[in-house]
Amino acid sequence: MAFNGTIHVNQPLTEISVSFLQELDSFVADKACPSVQVKHESDLYYVWDRVSFINDDGMERANGAIAREIDQGFSTSSYQLMEHAGRMLVTDRDVRNADQGLQLEIDATKILTEKLLIEKENDLGALFNTATFSNALSAAAGQQWSLNTVTSDPLILVNTASIIAWNASGKKPNYGVGGWRQMLFLKSHTSVLDRIKYTQLGIPTEDLLASLFDLKKLHFSRSVDQQRLENKNVPVSPSATLADVDMLLYWLPQAPALRMPATWYTFTQGGPV
């Protein structure tokens, strides 16, 4: 006798479900741009003139002469915090009636957190322009890393960019940030592979590439952002759109401090997202 499916009622599985949450290490904004905790939503900070520190003023003096007076100059800059928040409605009634495979409160927290992380990543990408960083270096024809040729040697271009930054500030860049496609180009580039073939792994990693470029750390954003949520067939795009085709070399101190230059900071109140 066949029971014809009457012995089991289909129910959602409790071991698996499918979603599109991104890995946390796909986001680099918090790692690339250090956070500074502040008390107030707006304030000022001092900015010293560069010439006050790295200029030769010729201070030789004759016996008994008065020492040359050196001018010092500084100005102030400001910050303004903006609050970012979102909400998803989950009622106690929803929680009581939800199947075991749904964890509505946890799901809402994860979704909202990811949206804030994507927004921060987009803010980082918005800084990748010549209005923010005037010392830009464009790869000439034949130098694009995607071409994978001798003339597109990444180390030559990175060294040239480092020299440009050093000439402008007296600081050798110690960090780098870019998009995931840059990492993929570098991992397969002949010039890179030739330089690391005798290392322990012989496989380009972020840390190995940072060492090759003489940087403390190299970050590559893998986060994505689908702008038109109503059309799920639209392909996703990198969150830090400009960062996906550009790479930034920059300098940061070991920790935020007085009288220290820094490429950027994120001013925050409360804990990180």
Side-chain angles (χ1 to χ4, degrees), residues 26-53:
S26 297
F27 301 95
V28 303
D30 286 331
K31 294 180 284 189
C33 188
S35 175
V36 176
Q37 289 287 325
V38 294
K39 294 181 180 179
H40 306 289
E41 292 190 0
S42 64
D43 247 327
L44 303 173
Y45 56 93
Y46 291 110
V47 179
W48 287 86
D49 294 343
R50 182 175 55 184
V51 71
S52 296
F53 289 89

Side-chain angles (χ1 to χ4, degrees), residues 128 178-182 185 238 240-247:
F128 278 65
W180 183 239
R181 279 193 294 180
Q182 302 293 342
F185 295 151
T241 306
L242 294 176
D244 191 53
V245 296
D246 295 337
M247 184 172 174

Side-chain angles (χ1 to χ4, degrees), residues 110-210:
K110 287 183 175 293
I111 291 171
L112 291 173
T113 299
E114 176 146 315
K115 289 183 179 298
L116 287 170
L117 290 173
I118 292 174
E119 188 173 4
K120 291 177 74 172
E121 208 80 352
N122 283 334
D123 289 343
L124 174 73
L127 296 175
F128 278 65
N129 56 70
T130 54
T132 307
F133 301 104
S134 58
N135 292 310
L137 175 65
S138 299
Q143 288 186 314
Q144 290 85 358
W145 297 346
S146 58
L147 298 177
N148 197 2
T149 62
V150 176
T151 55
S152 65
D153 188 344
L155 191 58
I156 294 176
L157 206 59
V158 169
N159 286 344
T160 303
S162 295
I163 292 172
I164 292 174
W166 174 70
N167 284 338
S169 64
K171 293 291 186 181
K172 181 184 72 65
N174 56 0
Y175 289 91
V177 61
W180 183 239
R181 279 193 294 180
Q182 302 293 342
M183 177 62 177
L184 297 180
F185 295 151
L186 290 170
K187 285 179 66 175
S188 59
H189 200 286
T190 302
S191 298
V192 172
L193 294 175
D194 186 60
R195 287 185 173 93
I196 68 168
K197 61 185 177 183
Y198 297 118
T199 61
Q200 185 175 0
L201 293 177
I203 301 172
T205 62
E206 291 187 9
D207 289 340
L208 193 55
L209 289 170

Side-chain angles (χ1 to χ4, degrees), residues 36-86:
V36 176
Q37 289 287 325
V38 294
K39 294 181 180 179
H40 306 289
E41 292 190 0
S42 64
D43 247 327
L44 303 173
Y45 56 93
Y46 291 110
V47 179
W48 287 86
D49 294 343
R50 182 175 55 184
V51 71
S52 296
F53 289 89
I54 59 175
N55 185 51
D56 180 2
D57 286 295
M59 294 188 291
E60 180 181 350
R61 70 171 179 175
N63 184 27
I66 298 175
R68 178 172 180 175
E69 183 175 342
I70 305 298
D71 293 330
Q72 57 180 341
F74 57 83
S75 58
T76 58
S77 190
S78 63
Y79 70 84
Q80 174 69 56
L81 299 187
M82 300 297 293
E83 186 174 14
H84 298 256

